Amino acid sequence: MRTRTVGEVMSDGVVRARPGTSFKELTRLFSTHRISGLPVVDDDGKVVGVVSRTDLTRRRAARPARTRTTMAGVFARWGRRARGDRSSPYAPTAGTLMTTPAVTVHPEQRVADAARVMQRCRVDRLPVVDEEDRLIGIATRRDLLGVFLRTDDDVLRDVTHAVRTLVPLPVRDGVRVRVRDGVVRLEFPAHEDIDATALARAAWRVDGVVGVVHGSTAPPARSPGA
């Protein structure tokens, strides 16, 4: 049985931003690369946050109405221009728009575990980082879900192999495994050396499994003269 890792499905050509990346540049990056979010990294390449199209939309919706121009505002703009600063003091940047801290994963993590992180945190992408938190890739919901597009026959073969090795040889033939739409149903003899929790965990570790139902069967009845 082979379990796929995040490093095998991630994309390593990552579009990224810096904390100082402007709102306009973020919009261009989203449009040019047809993406809905991107990681924000510092000068060392470490992930400090994630910014999404939703963050930009929310900022635009919250933009205050144009205020009345005052002489103080005019003088302030003249002062900034004299210093060569053409930016607006109110212009949003990736650093002010991003969600932080970012939810990240490591390349050696199992795809199934990363998918659960994505579901629990309600995010559509996970920056992949090395042991020093430097960005090395990104895993999207599409990347991770592709692993679950396995046939029931493939899942059945791997689950059967995984659970049978945990069952004592004398009762191994009593193990029954069925798979339908990725949901595994395990049946096994009631035996003191069978750990039901361990069997369920082994099934969950198989790529393509979306659910596990398990239970023991009654031991064979003994004859009256036994």
Side-chain angles (χ1 to χ4, degrees), residues 129-163:
V129 299
D130 62 15
E131 62 277 3
E132 296 183 0
D133 291 332
R134 290 187 299 245
L135 181 68
I136 58 175
I138 195 161
T140 66
R141 189 176 293 272
R142 181 178 180 179
D143 295 330
L144 301 185
L145 290 180
V147 173
F148 294 92
L149 298 178
R150 304 185 67 201
T151 67
D152 286 344
D153 288 341
D154 289 339
V155 174
L156 175 63
R157 181 186 64 249
D158 287 349
V159 170
T160 300
H161 174 74
V163 301

Side-chain angles (χ1 to χ4, degrees), residues 25-215:
E25 177 62 12
L26 289 172
T27 303
R28 187 192 69 78
L29 290 172
F30 288 145
S31 177
T32 301
H33 298 280
R34 297 182 179 180
I35 55 178
S36 59
L38 50 81
V40 182
V41 299
D42 62 15
D43 293 338
D44 295 323
K46 295 183 178 181
V47 179
V48 295
V50 174
V51 64
S52 68
R53 284 180 180 268
T54 302
D55 295 323
L56 270 64
T57 303
R58 186 181 299 115
R59 173 69 185 202
R60 295 294 294 181
R63 184 179 180 181
R66 184 179 297 274
T67 56
R68 182 179 178 182
T69 301
T70 64
M71 290 305 297
V74 172
F75 290 143
R77 286 199 297 273
W78 286 351
R80 289 196 301 274
R81 290 176 181 175
R83 296 191 300 270
D85 181 5
R86 298 285 178 175
S87 63
S88 166
Y90 308 108
T93 62
T96 61
L97 295 169
M98 68 183 183
T99 299
T100 186
V103 180
T104 61
V105 292
H106 293 277
E108 66 274 10
Q109 286 184 244
R110 297 172 55 244
V111 165
D113 294 335
R116 294 186 186 104
V117 170
M118 186 175 286
Q119 183 67 22
R120 184 174 65 250
C121 297
R122 298 181 180 180
V123 294
D124 294 322
R125 67 201 61 79
L126 292 168
V128 185
V129 299
D130 62 15
E131 62 277 3
E132 296 183 0
D133 291 332
R134 290 187 299 245
L135 181 68
I136 58 175
I138 195 161
T140 66
R141 189 176 293 272
R142 181 178 180 179
D143 295 330
L144 301 185
L145 290 180
V147 173
F148 294 92
L149 298 178
R150 304 185 67 201
T151 67
D152 286 344
D153 288 341
D154 289 339
V155 174
L156 175 63
R157 181 186 64 249
D158 287 349
V159 170
T160 300
H161 174 74
V163 301
R164 282 174 63 88
T165 59
L166 300 177
V167 176
L169 186 59
V171 293
R172 191 169 293 174
D173 290 339
V175 176
R176 298 289 181 267
V177 182
R178 291 178 293 166
V179 180
R180 182 173 181 179
D181 296 332
V183 177
V184 176
R185 296 184 180 275
L186 297 175
E187 293 181 359
F188 41 85
H191 193 283
E192 60 181 3
D193 293 329
I194 293 180
D195 185 339
T197 301
L199 296 184
R201 287 175 177 170
W204 269 117
R205 283 194 291 268
V206 173
D207 287 341
V209 172
V210 299
V212 176
V213 179
H214 63 87

